[in-house]
Amino acid sequence: MNKKFLFLAAALGGSLVACADDSDQTINDHEVAGVQEPGSSTVHRGCATIEPTALERDAIEARIASLDDTATLTASHVIPVYVHRIHASDGTGGAVSTQQLNDQLAILNAAYASSGFSFSLSTVDDTNNSTWYTSSGGASETAMKTALRKGGSNALNFYTNNMGGGLLGWATFPSSYTSQPKLDGVVILFSSLPGGTAAPYNLGDTATHEVGHWMGLYHTFQGGCSKSNDGVSDTPAEKSAAFGCPVNRDTCVGSRYPGLDPIRNFMDYTDDACMNTFSAGQDTRMNQMWTSYR
């Protein structure tokens, strides 16, 4: 296996995860900036897909299948958001303004409106800790979240730091809440928030993508052109992640889920400016996951 990256993932078992390609199966999702698209010299959002194991995924699908169809699209859910801004020990770095937070919440609310979910800012706190400021998972993530997490299973804990290593962020899946509630939430590179410096990933959709995982969605290229795909029937199959904004890309010609690759879907790897949609099936799945686990 051609291993490109190595991360210590704070997963169900806290295991060491080697990220080489999209077939690696783990628990949390770590988005990476600063890798090259195969066959290209251009640097893009890239590898480090971390997701439930095949066994865990089967259990999730069985749990969803057991739901009464009338319960899948529920009334609007207002999700309380607890923001934790992490800085270096001397208080420098990681600056995220109130305006940026307001803009980020507006972007999330617009993206998730069709699913019936909305986000309401509850509290914002600041912590000076150099180890947490550069955390990319592992023991430092566990310590940070154990100390700072607030709210119950319905609360989105939103951590911003300068994780380094080319990372843009990661999230936990709702199915892991029961076993590891303190780890629940998303961690986002502070400069990827609206108006930040992480162009072309500075329009706020790194958070949209990671919250999508927190709501229970897989990448659109999950499973490639296989039958299982991403578990959503109305997202066309996609063999691999899309980078930039490759209009009319079609990597699964002749598959049982035909159609152009869903490059504008928030769960692909395209630039922020290219992303603008969740499908109706994804909206349903988010409601199913919420009903099942939150």
Side-chain angles (χ1 to χ4, degrees):
M1 182 168 61
N2 179 22
K3 297 182 179 180
K4 298 178 181 177
F5 302 99
L6 193 65
F7 298 115
L8 184 65
L12 290 179
S15 57
L16 191 64
V17 177
C19 174
D21 55 34
D22 299 328
S23 64
D24 288 337
Q25 294 193 348
T26 45
I27 303 298
N28 297 343
D29 179 78
H30 293 59
E31 299 304 325
V32 177
V35 300
Q36 292 183 352
E37 178 183 0
S40 170
S41 60
T42 304
V43 175
H44 296 292
R45 190 193 308 264
C47 179
T49 304
I50 306 181
E51 60 201 29
T53 65
L55 183 62
E56 290 160 346
R57 186 174 171 182
D58 287 346
I60 291 169
E61 298 308 313
R63 186 162 176 167
I64 289 175
S66 69
L67 289 175
D68 184 335
D69 287 344
T70 61
T72 59
L73 287 175
T74 60
S76 176
H77 299 284
V78 179
I79 298 172
V81 181
Y82 297 90
V83 175
H84 312 286
R85 297 182 296 201
I86 313 300
H87 315 279
S89 294
D90 62 3
T92 60
V96 174
S97 69
T98 299
Q99 185 62 56
Q100 283 182 291
L101 290 178
N102 289 337
D103 290 345
Q104 183 66 80
L105 266 291
I107 287 167
L108 290 176
N109 279 320
Y112 287 87
S114 63
S115 68
F117 291 93
S118 63
F119 300 83
S120 177
L121 185 61
S122 291
T123 63
V124 180
D125 56 60
D126 292 273
T127 300
N128 299 337
N129 184 311
S130 291
T131 300
W132 298 355
Y133 180 55
T134 57
S135 174
S136 59
S140 59
E141 177 191 10
T142 300
M144 175 179 71
K145 290 182 172 181
T146 299
L148 299 179
R149 193 185 187 283
K150 298 179 180 179
S153 60
N154 69 322
L156 172 60
N157 278 257
F158 189 97
Y159 304 83
T160 64
N161 74 352
N162 192 31
M163 54 197 68
L167 289 168
L168 288 173
W170 68 90
T172 58
F173 280 83
S175 53
S176 67
Y177 178 81
T178 300
S179 61
Q180 300 245 355
K182 284 291 185 179
L183 293 183
D184 188 66
V186 302
V187 186
I188 304 294
L189 178 67
F190 81 96
S191 55
S192 73
L193 269 68
T197 59
Y201 315 114
N202 61 343
L203 302 181
D205 283 327
T206 290
T208 306
H209 179 108
E210 296 304 340
V211 172
H213 289 307
W214 184 79
M215 295 291 288
L217 299 181
Y218 298 121
H219 291 126
T220 52
F221 49 88
Q222 164 75 27
C225 301
S226 67
K227 176 182 178 180
S228 59
N229 198 261
D230 63 349
V232 179
S233 62
D234 64 352
T235 56
E238 185 177 24
K239 185 176 182 179
S240 60
F243 303 96
C245 195
V247 177
N248 295 326
R249 181 177 188 253
D250 189 355
T251 55
C252 289
V253 177
S255 77
R256 63 179 295 162
Y257 299 113
L260 297 177
D261 291 357
I263 64 165
R264 299 198 182 278
N265 195 283
F266 290 118
M267 302 312 295
D268 208 333
Y269 267 3
T270 50
D271 294 350
D272 280 14
C274 190
M275 296 177 168
N276 60 21
T277 191
F278 286 118
S279 73
Q282 286 173 317
D283 289 344
T284 298
R285 185 176 180 85
M286 285 188 274
N287 277 271
Q288 292 172 327
M289 295 294 281
W290 186 270
T291 301
S292 294
Y293 295 104
R294 295 198 185 280

